[in-house]
Amino acid sequence: MRKICVNTMKLVLPAISENERMARTQVCALVSTLNPTVTELGDVRCALSEAVTNAIVHGYGTPDGVTDDKLLYIAVTLYADRSLKISVRDHGRGIPDVKAAREPLFTTDSSGDRSGMGFSVMEAFCDRVEVLSKVGEGTKVTLYKTLA
């Protein structure tokens, strides 16, 4: 059965940490048109924050400034059945082993600054999380959630 789209939005933002807040604000403004509960909107905010932060930090290595080659692509689709799909894509490093990266506490960060819980957090707040990645070409994380 094909879902009926009621609204959609696409964002292209420079991959800088300040834009994590921008992405969260814009996406949640659109999602709020489905009249979610405060908890549901918080779930979306948290999962999206993780996806965007991972793209910036791991995809691009936390760029210092705005550059044309380090962009985030965010697409949101809202459906009549109160479900939503959010995709966050980068053209960064890519993930060599997606299965390993999705394991709780997995991290390649030797500094101790990263907990390795990004995908676990996304999965906790969404119904489903898909990760597609190719080394040297980037990563696409798609979050799915159905509101009550």
Side-chain angles (χ1 to χ4, degrees):
M1 182 168 103
R2 186 173 170 203
K3 290 187 173 203
I4 298 169
C5 174
V6 296
N7 212 339
T8 188
M9 174 176 64
K10 292 183 180 182
L11 295 171
V12 179
L13 299 170
I16 56 174
S17 60
E18 292 83 3
N19 282 339
E20 181 270 332
R21 185 179 321 121
M22 172 71 78
R24 217 177 42 216
T25 301
Q26 296 300 313
V27 170
C28 286
L30 182 67
V31 171
S32 70
T33 64
L34 292 177
N35 198 25
T37 66
V38 172
T39 300
E40 290 170 330
L41 196 57
D43 291 352
V44 171
R45 286 173 54 94
C46 189
L48 177 67
S49 291
E50 285 296 326
V52 170
T53 299
N54 279 353
I56 294 169
V57 171
H58 300 294
Y60 294 120
T62 314
D64 295 329
V66 175
T67 60
D68 290 340
D69 64 335
K70 295 179 179 172
L71 299 172
L72 298 177
Y73 302 85
I74 302 169
V76 184
T77 305
L78 307 181
Y79 298 98
D81 68 354
R82 295 180 42 81
S83 65
L84 54 105
K85 177 174 82 170
I86 303 169
S87 295
V88 178
R89 183 173 48 94
D90 66 66
H91 291 294
R93 297 180 182 128
I95 303 170
D97 186 344
V98 172
K99 185 177 179 182
R102 290 184 75 157
E103 289 295 317
L105 303 176
F106 176 86
T107 183
T108 58
D109 176 40
S110 58
S111 72
D113 291 336
R114 303 283 167 201
S115 67
M117 294 298 291
F119 288 123
S120 296
V121 169
M122 288 179 238
E123 290 166 348
F125 291 112
C126 295
D127 300 326
R128 184 169 50 125
V129 177
E130 290 179 357
V131 182
L132 301 172
S133 191
K134 190 166 184 181
V135 174
E137 293 184 23
T139 301
K140 179 180 177 183
V141 174
T142 305
L143 311 170
Y144 297 89
K145 185 164 183 73
T146 299
L147 306 176

